Amino acid sequence: QVQLVESGGGLVQAGGSLRLSCAASGGTFSSTAMGWFRQAPGKEREFVASICWSGRNTYYPDSVKGRFAISRDNAKNTVYLQMNSLKPEDTGTYYCAADKNLGRNWAPFLMNDFGSWGQGTQVTVSS
């Protein structure tokens, strides 16, 4: 099972940008689709972005489409989330997740698709 460690969170003003990183170890990262989720206090965890194993296919919900971009570097076993034009409603703990299955050539988006999770990194957007 892959181990995941997120970094890059912090405090940013509305309209600003952050880049999150997720370093993977212990699994077959280059064959695994990856995703980002977030959870605000008192709310359920929600899908933010995902990318297939090759990086060719990505998927975003409407709430972040056009502002967030997921990418991966299989040589570095790392997946990234570039977040631009941040809004206060983007505040939350951001979690990196690895697909339960290997070799999926599309970008999964259901929580049940993912079997390994990181510990999360906090993102706070001030107004």
Side-chain angles (χ1 to χ4, degrees), residues 37-110:
F37 289 76
R38 67 186 179 191
Q39 188 166 19
K43 295 189 176 181
E44 293 186 351
R45 192 169 298 191
E46 64 175 356
F47 169 72
V48 174
S50 62
I51 188 167
C52 73
W53 68 270
S54 67
R56 183 172 300 177
N57 296 308
T58 58
Y59 187 64
Y60 307 91
D62 288 344
S63 58
V64 307
K65 195 175 295 183
R67 300 188 298 121
F68 290 12
I70 188 171
S71 61
R72 65 189 297 158
D73 186 337
N74 286 345
K76 295 183 178 179
N77 283 2
T78 302
V79 62
Y80 305 97
L81 184 67
Q82 178 67 44
M83 305 186 294
N84 300 324
S85 302
L86 282 161
K87 306 175 181 180
E89 51 264 43
D90 294 319
T91 294
T93 302
Y94 281 68
Y95 298 92
C96 174
D99 192 355
K100 290 178 179 177
N101 302 293
L102 294 178
R104 202 186 317 241
N105 206 26
W106 50 277
F109 58 91
L110 299 176

